[in-house]
Coordinates of all heavy atoms in Angstrom, one line a residue:
S1 N 29.4 171.7 -69.7 CA 29.3 173.0 -69.0 C 30.3 173.9 -69.5 O 31.4 173.5 -69.9 CB 29.4 172.7 -67.5 OG 30.7 172.4 -67.2
A2 N 30.1 175.2 -69.3 CA 31.0 176.2 -69.8 C 32.0 176.6 -68.8 O 31.9 176.3 -67.6 CB 30.2 177.5 -70.2
F3 N 33.1 177.1 -69.3 CA 34.1 177.6 -68.4 C 33.8 179.0 -68.0 O 33.0 179.7 -68.6 CB 35.5 177.7 -69.2 CG 35.9 176.3 -69.6 CD1 35.8 175.9 -70.9 CD2 36.6 175.4 -68.7 CE1 36.2 174.6 -71.3 CE2 37.0 174.2 -69.1 CZ 36.8 173.8 -70.4
Q4 N 34.4 179.5 -66.9 CA 34.2 180.8 -66.4 C 35.3 181.8 -66.8 O 36.4 181.4 -67.0 CB 34.1 180.8 -64.9 CG 33.0 179.9 -64.3 CD 31.6 180.3 -64.8 OE1 31.2 181.5 -64.7 NE2 30.8 179.3 -65.3
V5 N 35.0 183.1 -67.0 CA 36.0 184.1 -67.3 C 37.1 184.0 -66.2 O 36.8 183.9 -65.0 CB 35.4 185.5 -67.3 CG1 36.5 186.6 -67.3 CG2 34.5 185.7 -68.5
G6 N 38.4 184.0 -66.6 CA 39.5 183.9 -65.7 C 39.9 182.4 -65.4 O 41.0 182.3 -64.8
D7 N 39.2 181.4 -65.8 CA 39.6 180.0 -65.6 C 40.8 179.8 -66.5 O 40.9 180.2 -67.6 CB 38.5 179.0 -66.1 CG 37.4 178.9 -65.1 OD1 37.5 179.5 -64.0 OD2 36.4 178.3 -65.4
Q8 N 41.8 179.0 -66.0 CA 42.8 178.5 -66.9 C 42.3 177.2 -67.5 O 42.0 176.2 -66.8 CB 44.1 178.2 -66.1 CG 44.9 179.4 -65.7 CD 46.3 179.0 -65.3 OE1 46.5 178.0 -64.7 NE2 47.3 179.9 -65.5
I9 N 42.2 177.2 -68.8 CA 41.6 176.1 -69.6 C 42.8 175.4 -70.3 O 43.5 176.0 -71.1 CB 40.6 176.6 -70.6 CG1 39.5 177.5 -69.9 CG2 39.9 175.5 -71.3 CD1 38.7 178.4 -70.8
S10 N 42.9 174.1 -70.0 CA 44.0 173.4 -70.6 C 43.5 172.4 -71.7 O 42.5 171.7 -71.5 CB 44.8 172.6 -69.5 OG 45.4 173.5 -68.6
F11 N 44.3 172.3 -72.7 CA 44.0 171.3 -73.8 C 45.2 170.5 -74.1 O 46.3 171.0 -73.8 CB 43.6 172.1 -75.1 CG 42.5 173.1 -74.9 CD1 42.7 174.4 -74.6 CD2 41.2 172.6 -75.0 CE1 41.7 175.3 -74.4 CE2 40.1 173.5 -74.8 CZ 40.4 174.8 -74.5
E12 N 45.1 169.3 -74.6 CA 46.2 168.5 -74.9 C 45.9 167.5 -76.0 O 44.8 167.3 -76.4 CB 46.7 167.7 -73.6 CG 45.6 166.7 -73.1 CD 46.0 166.0 -71.9 OE1 47.1 166.2 -71.4 OE2 45.1 165.3 -71.3
G13 N 47.0 167.1 -76.7 CA 46.8 166.1 -77.8 C 48.1 165.6 -78.3 O 49.2 165.8 -77.6
Y14 N 48.1 164.9 -79.4 CA 49.3 164.3 -80.0 C 49.3 164.7 -81.4 O 48.3 164.9 -82.1 CB 49.3 162.8 -79.9 CG 49.6 162.3 -78.5 CD1 48.7 162.0 -77.6 CD2 51.0 162.0 -78.2 CE1 49.0 161.5 -76.3 CE2 51.3 161.6 -76.9 CZ 50.3 161.3 -76.0 OH 50.6 160.9 -74.7
A15 N 50.6 164.9 -82.0 CA 50.8 165.2 -83.4 C 51.8 164.2 -83.9 O 52.8 163.9 -83.2 CB 51.3 166.6 -83.6
D16 N 51.5 163.6 -85.1 CA 52.5 162.8 -85.7 C 52.3 162.8 -87.2 O 51.3 163.3 -87.7 CB 52.5 161.4 -85.2 CG 51.2 160.6 -85.5 OD1 50.8 160.6 -86.7 OD2 50.6 160.1 -84.6
D17 N 53.3 162.4 -88.0 CA 53.3 162.4 -89.4 C 53.7 161.1 -89.9 O 53.9 160.9 -91.1 CB 54.2 163.5 -90.0 CG 53.9 163.7 -91.5 OD1 52.8 164.2 -91.8 OD2 54.8 163.3 -92.3
F18 N 53.8 160.1 -89.1 CA 54.1 158.7 -89.4 C 55.6 158.5 -89.9 O 56.1 157.5 -89.5 CB 53.1 158.1 -90.4 CG 51.7 158.2 -89.8 CD1 50.8 159.1 -90.3 CD2 51.3 157.3 -88.8 CE1 49.5 159.2 -89.8 CE2 50.0 157.4 -88.3 CZ 49.1 158.3 -88.8
D19 N 56.1 159.3 -90.8 CA 57.4 159.1 -91.3 C 58.3 160.3 -91.3 O 59.4 160.2 -91.8 CB 57.4 158.4 -92.7 CG 56.7 159.3 -93.7 OD1 56.1 160.4 -93.3 OD2 56.7 159.0 -94.9
V20 N 57.9 161.4 -90.8 CA 58.7 162.6 -90.7 C 58.5 163.2 -89.3 O 57.4 163.2 -88.7 CB 58.2 163.7 -91.7 CG1 59.0 164.9 -91.7 CG2 58.2 163.1 -93.2
A21 N 59.6 163.7 -88.8 CA 59.6 164.3 -87.4 C 58.7 165.5 -87.4 O 58.7 166.3 -88.3 CB 61.0 164.6 -86.9
I22 N 58.1 165.8 -86.3 CA 57.3 167.0 -86.1 C 58.3 168.1 -85.5 O 58.9 167.9 -84.5 CB 56.2 166.8 -85.1 CG1 55.2 165.7 -85.6 CG2 55.4 168.1 -84.8 CD1 54.5 166.0 -86.9
A23 N 58.4 169.2 -86.3 CA 59.4 170.2 -85.9 C 58.7 171.2 -84.9 O 59.4 171.8 -84.1 CB 59.9 171.0 -87.1
A24 N 57.4 171.3 -85.0 CA 56.7 172.3 -84.1 C 55.2 172.0 -84.2 O 54.7 171.4 -85.1 CB 56.9 173.7 -84.6
V25 N 54.5 172.5 -83.1 CA 53.1 172.5 -83.1 C 52.7 173.9 -83.1 O 53.3 174.8 -82.4 CB 52.5 171.7 -81.9 CG1 51.0 171.8 -81.8 CG2 53.0 170.3 -81.9
Q26 N 51.7 174.3 -83.9 CA 51.2 175.7 -84.0 C 49.8 175.8 -83.4 O 49.0 174.9 -83.7 CB 51.3 176.2 -85.4 CG 52.7 176.2 -86.0 CD 52.8 176.6 -87.4 OE1 51.9 176.3 -88.2 NE2 53.7 177.5 -87.7
F27 N 49.5 176.9 -82.8 CA 48.2 177.2 -82.2 C 47.6 178.5 -82.7 O 48.4 179.5 -82.8 CB 48.3 177.2 -80.6 CG 48.9 176.0 -80.1 CD1 50.2 175.9 -79.7 CD2 48.0 174.9 -79.9 CE1 50.7 174.7 -79.2 CE2 48.6 173.7 -79.3 CZ 49.9 173.6 -79.0
S28 N 46.3 178.6 -82.9 CA 45.6 179.8 -83.3 C 44.4 179.9 -82.5 O 43.6 179.0 -82.3 CB 45.4 179.8 -84.8 OG 44.7 181.0 -85.2
M29 N 44.1 181.2 -82.0 CA 42.8 181.4 -81.4 C 42.0 182.4 -82.2 O 41.0 182.9 -81.7 CB 43.1 182.0 -80.0 CG 43.7 181.1 -79.0 SD 42.6 179.7 -78.5 CE 41.2 180.6 -77.8
D30 N 42.5 182.8 -83.4 CA 41.7 183.8 -84.2 C 41.3 183.2 -85.6 O 41.3 183.9 -86.6 CB 42.5 185.0 -84.4 CG 43.9 184.8 -85.0 OD1 44.2 183.7 -85.6 OD2 44.7 185.8 -85.0
G31 N 41.0 181.9 -85.6 CA 40.6 181.3 -86.8 C 41.6 181.1 -87.9 O 41.4 181.0 -89.1
G32 N 42.9 181.0 -87.5 CA 44.0 180.8 -88.4 C 44.6 182.0 -89.0 O 45.5 181.9 -89.8
K33 N 44.2 183.2 -88.5 CA 44.8 184.4 -89.1 C 46.3 184.5 -88.6 O 47.2 184.9 -89.3 CB 44.1 185.7 -88.6 CG 42.7 185.8 -89.2 CD 41.9 187.0 -88.7 CE 40.5 186.9 -89.1 NZ 39.6 187.9 -88.4
T34 N 46.5 184.2 -87.3 CA 47.9 184.2 -86.8 C 48.1 182.9 -86.0 O 47.1 182.3 -85.5 CB 48.1 185.4 -85.8 OG1 47.2 185.2 -84.7 CG2 47.9 186.7 -86.5
W35 N 49.3 182.4 -86.0 CA 49.7 181.2 -85.4 C 50.9 181.4 -84.4 O 51.8 182.1 -84.8 CB 50.1 180.1 -86.4 CG 48.9 179.7 -87.3 CD1 48.6 180.3 -88.5 CD2 48.0 178.6 -87.1 NE1 47.5 179.7 -89.0 CE2 47.1 178.6 -88.1 CE3 47.9 177.7 -86.1 CZ2 46.1 177.7 -88.3 CZ3 46.9 176.7 -86.2 CH2 46.0 176.8 -87.2
T36 N 50.8 180.8 -83.3 CA 51.9 180.7 -82.3 C 52.6 179.4 -82.5 O 52.0 178.3 -82.4 CB 51.4 180.9 -80.9 OG1 50.7 182.1 -80.7 CG2 52.6 180.8 -79.9
T37 N 53.9 179.5 -82.8 CA 54.7 178.2 -83.0 C 55.5 177.8 -81.8 O 56.2 178.6 -81.2 CB 55.7 178.5 -84.2 OG1 54.9 178.8 -85.4 CG2 56.5 177.2 -84.5
C38 N 55.3 176.6 -81.4 CA 56.1 176.0 -80.3 C 56.9 174.8 -80.8 O 56.4 173.8 -81.3 CB 55.1 175.4 -79.2 SG 54.1 176.7 -78.5
E39 N 58.2 175.1 -80.9 CA 59.1 174.1 -81.5 C 59.2 172.8 -80.6 O 59.0 172.9 -79.4 CB 60.5 174.7 -81.6 CG 60.6 175.8 -82.6 CD 61.9 176.4 -82.9 OE1 62.9 175.8 -82.3 OE2 62.1 177.3 -83.6
T40 N 59.4 171.7 -81.2 CA 59.5 170.4 -80.5 C 60.9 169.8 -80.7 O 61.0 168.8 -81.4 CB 58.4 169.5 -81.1 OG1 58.5 169.4 -82.5 CG2 57.0 170.0 -80.8
A41 N 61.8 170.4 -80.1 CA 63.2 170.0 -80.3 C 63.4 168.5 -79.8 O 62.8 168.1 -78.9 CB 64.1 170.8 -79.4
G42 N 64.1 167.8 -80.6 CA 64.4 166.4 -80.3 C 63.3 165.4 -80.8 O 63.5 164.2 -80.5
A43 N 62.3 165.9 -81.5 CA 61.3 165.0 -82.0 C 61.9 164.1 -83.0 O 62.7 164.5 -83.8 CB 60.1 165.7 -82.5
T44 N 61.4 162.8 -83.1 CA 61.9 161.8 -84.1 C 60.7 161.3 -84.9 O 59.6 161.4 -84.4 CB 62.6 160.7 -83.4 OG1 61.7 160.0 -82.5 CG2 63.8 161.1 -82.6
P45 N 61.0 160.8 -86.1 CA 59.9 160.4 -87.0 C 59.1 159.2 -86.4 O 57.9 159.0 -86.8 CB 60.6 159.9 -88.2 CG 61.9 160.6 -88.2 CD 62.3 160.8 -86.8
D46 N 59.7 158.4 -85.5 CA 59.0 157.2 -85.0 C 58.1 157.4 -83.8 O 57.5 156.5 -83.3 CB 60.0 156.1 -84.7 CG 61.0 156.6 -83.7 OD1 61.4 157.8 -83.6 OD2 61.5 155.7 -82.9
K47 N 58.0 158.7 -83.3 CA 57.2 158.9 -82.2 C 56.3 160.2 -82.4 O 56.8 161.1 -83.0 CB 58.1 159.2 -80.9 CG 58.8 157.9 -80.5 CD 59.7 158.2 -79.3 CE 60.4 156.9 -78.9 NZ 61.3 157.1 -77.7
G48 N 55.1 160.1 -81.8 CA 54.2 161.3 -81.8 C 54.7 162.3 -80.8 O 55.5 162.0 -79.9
V49 N 54.3 163.5 -81.0 CA 54.6 164.6 -80.1 C 53.4 164.9 -79.2 O 52.3 165.2 -79.8 CB 55.1 165.8 -80.9 CG1 55.3 167.0 -80.0 CG2 56.4 165.5 -81.6
Y50 N 53.6 164.9 -77.9 CA 52.5 165.3 -77.0 C 52.5 166.8 -76.9 O 53.6 167.4 -76.7 CB 52.7 164.7 -75.6 CG 51.8 165.3 -74.6 CD1 50.5 164.9 -74.4 CD2 52.4 166.2 -73.6 CE1 49.7 165.5 -73.4 CE2 51.6 166.7 -72.7 CZ 50.3 166.4 -72.5 OH 49.5 167.0 -71.6
W51 N 51.4 167.5 -77.0 CA 51.3 168.9 -76.8 C 50.3 169.3 -75.8 O 49.3 168.5 -75.5 CB 51.1 169.7 -78.1 CG 49.8 169.3 -78.8 CD1 49.6 168.4 -79.8 CD2 48.5 169.8 -78.5 NE1 48.3 168.4 -80.2 CE2 47.6 169.2 -79.4 CE3 48.0 170.8 -77.6 CZ2 46.2 169.5 -79.4 CZ3 46.6 171.1 -77.7 CH2 45.7 170.4 -78.5
N52 N 50.5 170.4 -75.1 CA 49.4 171.0 -74.3 C 49.4 172.5 -74.4 O 50.4 173.1 -74.8 CB 49.6 170.5 -72.8 CG 50.9 171.0 -72.2 OD1 51.2 172.2 -72.1 ND2 51.7 170.0 -71.8
F53 N 48.3 173.1 -74.2 CA 48.1 174.5 -74.4 C 47.1 175.0 -73.4 O 46.1 174.3 -73.1 CB 47.4 174.7 -75.8 CG 47.2 176.2 -76.2 CD1 48.2 176.9 -76.8 CD2 45.9 176.8 -75.9 CE1 47.9 178.3 -77.1 CE2 45.7 178.1 -76.3 CZ 46.7 178.8 -76.9
T54 N 47.4 176.1 -72.7 CA 46.6 176.6 -71.6 C 46.2 178.0 -72.1 O 47.0 178.8 -72.5 CB 47.3 176.7 -70.3 OG1 47.7 175.3 -70.0 CG2 46.5 177.2 -69.2
Y55 N 44.9 178.4 -71.9 CA 44.3 179.6 -72.3 C 43.5 180.2 -71.2 O 42.8 179.4 -70.5 CB 43.5 179.4 -73.6 CG 42.9 180.7 -74.1 CD1 43.7 181.6 -74.8 CD2 41.6 181.0 -74.0 CE1 43.2 182.8 -75.3 CE2 41.1 182.2 -74.5 CZ 41.9 183.1 -75.1 OH 41.4 184.3 -75.6
T56 N 43.5 181.5 -70.9 CA 42.7 182.1 -70.0 C 41.9 183.2 -70.7 O 42.4 184.1 -71.2 CB 43.5 182.8 -68.9 OG1 44.4 181.8 -68.2 CG2 42.7 183.4 -67.8
A57 N 40.6 183.0 -70.7 CA 39.7 183.9 -71.4 C 39.4 185.1 -70.5 O 39.1 185.0 -69.4 CB 38.4 183.3 -71.8
A58 N 39.5 186.3 -71.1 CA 39.2 187.6 -70.3 C 37.8 188.0 -70.5 O 37.3 188.9 -69.7 CB 40.2 188.7 -70.8
Q59 N 37.1 187.5 -71.5 CA 35.7 187.9 -71.8 C 34.8 186.6 -72.1 O 35.3 185.7 -72.6 CB 35.7 188.8 -73.0 CG 36.4 190.1 -72.8 CD 36.4 190.9 -74.1 OE1 35.5 190.7 -74.9 NE2 37.3 191.8 -74.3
P60 N 33.5 186.7 -71.8 CA 32.7 185.6 -72.1 C 32.5 185.5 -73.6 O 32.6 186.5 -74.3 CB 31.4 186.0 -71.4 CG 31.4 187.5 -71.1 CD 32.8 187.8 -71.1
G61 N 32.1 184.3 -74.1 CA 31.8 184.1 -75.5 C 32.2 182.7 -75.9 O 32.6 181.9 -75.1
A62 N 32.0 182.5 -77.2 CA 32.5 181.2 -77.8 C 33.9 181.4 -78.4 O 34.2 182.4 -79.0 CB 31.5 180.9 -79.0
Y63 N 34.7 180.4 -78.2 CA 36.1 180.4 -78.6 C 36.4 179.1 -79.4 O 35.7 178.1 -79.2 CB 37.0 180.5 -77.4 CG 37.0 181.8 -76.6 CD1 36.0 182.0 -75.7 CD2 37.9 182.8 -76.9 CE1 35.9 183.2 -75.0 CE2 37.9 184.0 -76.2 CZ 36.9 184.2 -75.3 OH 36.9 185.4 -74.6
K64 N 37.4 179.2 -80.2 CA 37.9 178.0 -80.9 C 39.4 178.0 -80.9 O 40.1 179.0 -81.3 CB 37.4 178.1 -82.4 CG 37.8 176.8 -83.1 CD 37.2 176.7 -84.5 CE 38.0 177.6 -85.5 NZ 37.9 177.3 -86.9
L65 N 40.0 176.9 -80.5 CA 41.4 176.7 -80.6 C 41.7 175.8 -81.7 O 41.1 174.7 -81.9 CB 41.9 176.0 -79.3 CG 43.4 175.4 -79.3 CD1 44.4 176.6 -79.5 CD2 43.6 174.6 -78.1
D66 N 42.6 176.2 -82.6 CA 43.1 175.4 -83.7 C 44.5 175.0 -83.4 O 45.3 175.8 -83.0 CB 43.1 176.2 -85.1 CG 41.6 176.5 -85.5 OD1 40.8 175.6 -85.5 OD2 41.4 177.7 -85.9
A67 N 44.8 173.7 -83.7 CA 46.2 173.2 -83.5 C 46.6 172.5 -84.8 O 45.8 171.7 -85.3 CB 46.3 172.3 -82.3
R68 N 47.8 172.7 -85.2 CA 48.3 172.0 -86.4 C 49.8 171.7 -86.2 O 50.5 172.3 -85.4 CB 48.1 172.8 -87.6 CG 48.9 174.0 -87.7 CD 48.6 174.8 -89.0 NE 49.5 176.0 -89.1 CZ 49.3 176.9 -90.0 NH1 48.3 176.8 -90.9 NH2 50.2 177.9 -90.1
A69 N 50.3 170.7 -86.9 CA 51.7 170.3 -86.9 C 52.5 170.9 -88.0 O 52.0 171.1 -89.1 CB 51.8 168.8 -86.8
L70 N 53.8 171.2 -87.8 CA 54.7 171.5 -88.8 C 55.8 170.5 -88.8 O 56.4 170.2 -87.8 CB 55.3 172.9 -88.5 CG 56.4 173.4 -89.4 CD1 55.9 173.7 -90.8 CD2 57.0 174.7 -88.8
T71 N 56.1 169.8 -90.0 CA 57.0 168.8 -90.0 C 58.5 169.3 -90.3 O 58.6 170.4 -90.7 CB 56.7 167.7 -91.1 OG1 56.8 168.4 -92.4 CG2 55.3 167.1 -90.9
A72 N 59.4 168.4 -90.0 CA 60.8 168.8 -90.2 C 61.1 169.1 -91.7 O 62.1 169.9 -91.9 CB 61.7 167.6 -89.8
N73 N 60.3 168.7 -92.6 CA 60.6 169.0 -94.0 C 59.7 170.2 -94.4 O 59.7 170.5 -95.6 CB 60.3 167.8 -95.0 CG 58.9 167.3 -94.9 OD1 58.0 168.0 -94.4 ND2 58.6 166.2 -95.6
G74 N 59.1 170.9 -93.5 CA 58.4 172.2 -93.8 C 57.0 172.1 -94.1 O 56.3 173.1 -94.5
T75 N 56.4 170.9 -94.1 CA 55.0 170.7 -94.4 C 54.1 171.1 -93.2 O 54.4 170.6 -92.1 CB 54.7 169.2 -94.8 OG1 55.6 168.9 -95.9 CG2 53.3 169.1 -95.2
V76 N 53.1 171.9 -93.5 CA 52.1 172.2 -92.5 C 50.9 171.3 -92.6 O 50.5 171.0 -93.7 CB 51.6 173.7 -92.6 CG1 50.5 174.0 -91.6 CG2 52.8 174.6 -92.4
S77 N 50.3 170.8 -91.5 CA 49.2 169.9 -91.6 C 48.1 170.6 -92.5 O 47.8 171.8 -92.2 CB 48.6 169.7 -90.2 OG 49.5 169.1 -89.4
P78 N 47.5 169.9 -93.4 CA 46.5 170.5 -94.3 C 45.2 170.8 -93.5 O 44.5 171.7 -93.9 CB 46.2 169.4 -95.4 CG 46.7 168.2 -94.8 CD 47.8 168.5 -93.8
L79 N 44.9 170.1 -92.4 CA 43.8 170.3 -91.6 C 44.2 170.5 -90.1 O 45.0 169.7 -89.6 CB 42.8 169.1 -91.7 CG 42.2 168.9 -93.0 CD1 41.4 167.6 -92.9 CD2 41.3 170.0 -93.4
A80 N 43.7 171.6 -89.5 CA 44.0 171.8 -88.1 C 42.9 171.0 -87.3 O 41.8 170.9 -87.7 CB 43.9 173.3 -87.8
S81 N 43.4 170.6 -86.1 CA 42.4 170.1 -85.2 C 41.8 171.2 -84.4 O 42.5 172.2 -84.0 CB 43.1 169.2 -84.2 OG 43.6 168.0 -84.8
S82 N 40.5 171.2 -84.3 CA 39.8 172.4 -83.7 C 39.0 171.9 -82.5 O 38.4 170.9 -82.4 CB 38.8 173.0 -84.7 OG 39.6 173.5 -85.8
I83 N 39.0 172.8 -81.5 CA 38.3 172.6 -80.2 C 37.5 173.8 -80.0 O 38.0 174.9 -79.9 CB 39.2 172.3 -79.0 CG1 40.1 171.1 -79.3 CG2 38.4 172.1 -77.8 CD1 41.3 171.0 -78.4
V84 N 36.2 173.7 -79.9 CA 35.3 174.9 -79.6 C 34.8 174.8 -78.2 O 34.5 173.7 -77.7 CB 34.1 174.9 -80.6 CG1 33.1 176.0 -80.3 CG2 34.5 174.9 -82.1
F85 N 34.9 175.9 -77.5 CA 34.4 176.0 -76.1 C 33.8 177.3 -75.8 O 34.0 178.3 -76.4 CB 35.6 175.6 -75.2 CG 36.8 176.6 -75.3 CD1 37.0 177.7 -74.4 CD2 37.7 176.5 -76.3 CE1 38.0 178.5 -74.5 CE2 38.8 177.3 -76.4 CZ 38.9 178.4 -75.5
E86 N 33.0 177.3 -74.7 CA 32.2 178.4 -74.3 C 32.7 178.9 -72.9 O 33.0 178.1 -72.0 CB 30.7 178.0 -74.1 CG 29.8 179.1 -73.8 CD 29.4 179.9 -75.1 OE1 29.6 179.4 -76.2 OE2 29.1 181.1 -74.9
V87 N 32.8 180.2 -72.8 CA 33.2 180.9 -71.6 C 32.1 181.8 -71.2 O 31.6 182.6 -71.9 CB 34.5 181.7 -71.8 CG1 34.9 182.4 -70.5 CG2 35.6 180.8 -72.2
E88 N 31.6 181.7 -69.9 CA 30.6 182.5 -69.3 C 31.1 183.6 -68.5 O 32.1 183.5 -67.9 CB 29.6 181.6 -68.5 CG 28.9 180.6 -69.4 CD 28.0 179.7 -68.6 OE1 28.1 179.6 -67.3 OE2 27.1 179.1 -69.2

């Protein structure tokens, strides 16, 4: 079922790199043209980072949230995780 305009839509997930700490998780709602960076202070290489993102759509339509990790050594995930959703 689709979400309604004005709904607060929450997403969550985990990011890890197995041997390097995650320095930040980045989110994009415009197909990767721009990214919002949320730093993950205190992350360690031996643990994944839990993230959550809340979005409120002002207009109906199809949307896509992209999420990717940035590691402590400056590497950006080569593939973003994507979630497509519909707002009525």
Side-chain angles (χ1 to χ4, degrees):
S1 72
F3 298 100
Q4 302 298 311
V5 168
D7 285 353
Q8 281 195 331
I9 307 165
S10 295
F11 305 93
E12 61 186 354
Y14 284 92
D16 65 54
D17 192 71
F18 302 106
D19 59 354
V20 180
I22 300 299
V25 178
Q26 298 180 317
F27 302 98
S28 178
M29 290 295 298
D30 60 9
K33 293 177 190 166
T34 61
W35 293 89
T36 299
T37 300
C38 298
E39 294 183 5
T40 54
T44 59
D46 60 329
K47 294 183 179 175
V49 171
Y50 167 78
W51 60 262
N52 61 59
F53 181 87
T54 301
Y55 183 76
T56 303
Q59 298 179 21
Y63 291 84
K64 182 174 79 157
L65 167 66
D66 293 312
R68 67 184 187 187
L70 175 65
T71 65
N73 63 9
T75 302
V76 175
S77 300
L79 296 174
S81 295
S82 299
I83 303 164
V84 176
F85 58 100
E86 186 78 24
V87 176
E88 297 179 338

